[in-house]
Amino acid sequence: MGFSPKQIAEAVAAALALTALIAGVIDWRHRKRDNLDRVSLLDWRNIQVFALISAIIAAAVAFQL
């Protein structure tokens, strides 16, 4: 019993939307930090933007299937 391509695309879109949400929260917390000398290893804003764009594309693919 396998998954259909539509289910896979929906799961990918949901995972990417969740990634974008988590990256947004982490970026917000990073901008509000007390110690400004502490830098982040990753650029969370770019991760959020790319995850959101990818989620929109995956959702569009899921709707087309």
Side-chain angles (χ1 to χ4, degrees):
M1 182 167 172
F3 295 106
S4 70
K6 182 176 178 76
Q7 290 173 330
I8 294 171
E10 289 170 349
V12 168
L16 287 168
L18 184 63
T19 301
L21 179 68
I22 291 171
V25 169
I26 293 173
D27 182 51
W28 175 77
R29 289 186 64 197
H30 181 71
R31 284 184 282 125
K32 300 291 182 186
R33 69 190 184 278
D34 291 331
N35 185 3
L36 295 177
D37 291 332
R38 232 178 53 210
V39 296
S40 178
L41 182 62
L42 300 172
D43 187 10
W44 291 105
R45 184 165 294 154
N46 284 343
I47 292 172
Q48 179 186 15
V49 168
F50 290 136
L52 190 59
I53 291 170
S54 300
I56 292 169
I57 292 170
V61 168
F63 285 131
Q64 292 297 321
L65 293 177

